[in-house]
Amino acid sequence: DAGVTQSPTHLIKTRGQHVTLRCSPISGHKSVSWYQQVLGQGPQFIFQYYEKEERGRGNFPDRFSARQFPNYSSELNVNALLLGDSALYLCASSLQDQETQYFGPGTRLLVL
Amino acid sequence: AQSVTQPDIHITVSEGASLELRCNYSYGATPYLFWYVQSPGQGLQLLLKYFSGDTLVQGIKGFEAEFKRSQSSFNLRKPSVHWSDAAEYFCAVGAGLTGGGNKLTFGTGTQLKVEL
């Protein structure tokens, strides 16, 4: 079975631009979570979605938004990019919102 | 609020030697605890998890971890390290969200180097 997939794998943007990152969960998983991993640190929680509803949000500004589609895939959107948004963005899926999370390979975003 | 501390930023061991990576957590309720491994440029792979029951849990690749409530610890161990184990290791605690979900709080990671 395919694991969690994310696209694109790498992305370069300039300050002020907008970016959309995509995630497809493991088949049968209904929950998707997003994490930001800055170089040299552990991942930080951004959002969790379950059955298209937001279950929780981490300490991130409103420039960060996300949604989940009927097929349980998800998008993470970041507006008005800052240099500090450069990071590896990880998507994780789980059967339900309280279950073990399995991670995708991530999207590496570089903001210049 | 929950937190995870991994005291060792870098650890170097010789191939074949035993390994113990330390993890201490802070969480008010019974914790869900995890160890993940990350190879360079990759996502996170789940090694093992503790939800309840037996405090010694077995994982993939020959890893095990022991939950000690009295010490708020969840240390990862392997009896004999292989060169392919070189990677970054993250300990995480799962905590409930007010919306009914669950988020992971990670430590800062321990970078493992294996000398041949």
Side-chain angles (χ1 to χ4, degrees):
Chain A
D1 286 341
V4 177
T5 59
Q6 294 185 242
S7 63
T9 56
H10 295 81
L11 203 52
I12 299 176
K13 293 286 189 178
T14 57
R15 283 177 296 174
Q17 286 190 311
H18 163 271
V19 68
T20 297
L21 310 181
R22 295 177 175 83
C23 171
S24 292
I26 293 170
S27 178
H29 285 196
K30 298 181 178 180
S31 180
V32 169
S33 300
W34 287 96
Y35 292 81
Q36 180 197 63
Q37 186 180 20
V38 174
L39 198 62
Q41 297 183 19
Q44 299 287 320
F45 172 73
I46 309 176
F47 287 109
Q48 186 184 54
Y49 277 79
Y50 175 65
E51 294 277 17
K52 297 176 289 181
E53 291 189 359
E54 183 182 303
R55 279 292 192 250
R57 181 189 184 110
N59 188 25
F60 281 81
D62 291 344
R63 299 185 295 107
F64 288 76
S65 63
R67 55 180 176 167
Q68 187 178 31
F69 299 100
N71 66 353
Y72 303 111
S73 67
S74 177
E75 284 182 354
L76 175 70
N77 294 283
V78 187
N79 293 324
L81 285 166
L82 303 175
L83 296 180
D85 295 330
S86 296
L88 180 67
Y89 288 85
L90 295 163
C91 173
S93 77
S94 53
L95 276 169
Q96 298 189 20
D97 56 355
Q98 297 276 353
E99 303 281 339
T100 300
Q101 296 182 22
Y102 296 91
F103 285 81
T107 293
R108 188 162 297 280
L109 172 65
L110 177 62
V111 182
L112 301 176
Chain B
Q2 65 278 358
S3 66
V4 175
T5 301
Q6 294 181 247
D8 303 305
I9 300 175
H10 299 278
I11 283 185
T12 300
V13 299
S14 299
E15 190 176 35
S18 63
L19 172 70
E20 182 169 29
L21 302 183
R22 296 183 291 165
C23 171
N24 293 98
Y25 69 90
S26 173
Y27 186 57
T30 300
Y32 293 168
L33 295 163
F34 306 84
W35 275 99
Y36 288 87
V37 60
Q38 186 176 38
S39 297
Q42 303 296 313
L44 301 172
Q45 181 183 22
L46 178 69
L47 284 176
L48 47 79
K49 60 186 178 184
Y50 171 79
F51 281 7
S52 64
D54 194 346
T55 57
L56 184 64
V57 294
Q58 302 297 320
I60 62 171
K61 304 184 179 185
F63 285 93
E64 66 178 26
E66 186 172 12
F67 170 60
K68 293 185 177 180
R69 184 185 299 274
S70 62
Q71 299 177 21
S72 297
S73 69
F74 189 56
N75 294 348
L76 181 70
R77 300 194 294 248
K78 187 171 184 178
S80 177
V81 169
H82 187 263
W83 63 267
S84 60
D85 292 325
E88 188 150 26
Y89 292 78
F90 291 95
C91 180
V93 61
L97 296 166
T98 54
N102 183 53
K103 72 171 186 178
L104 296 175
T105 298
F106 288 85
T108 51
T110 297
Q111 185 71 46
L112 173 65
K113 179 181 176 181
V114 180
E115 291 182 333
L116 300 177

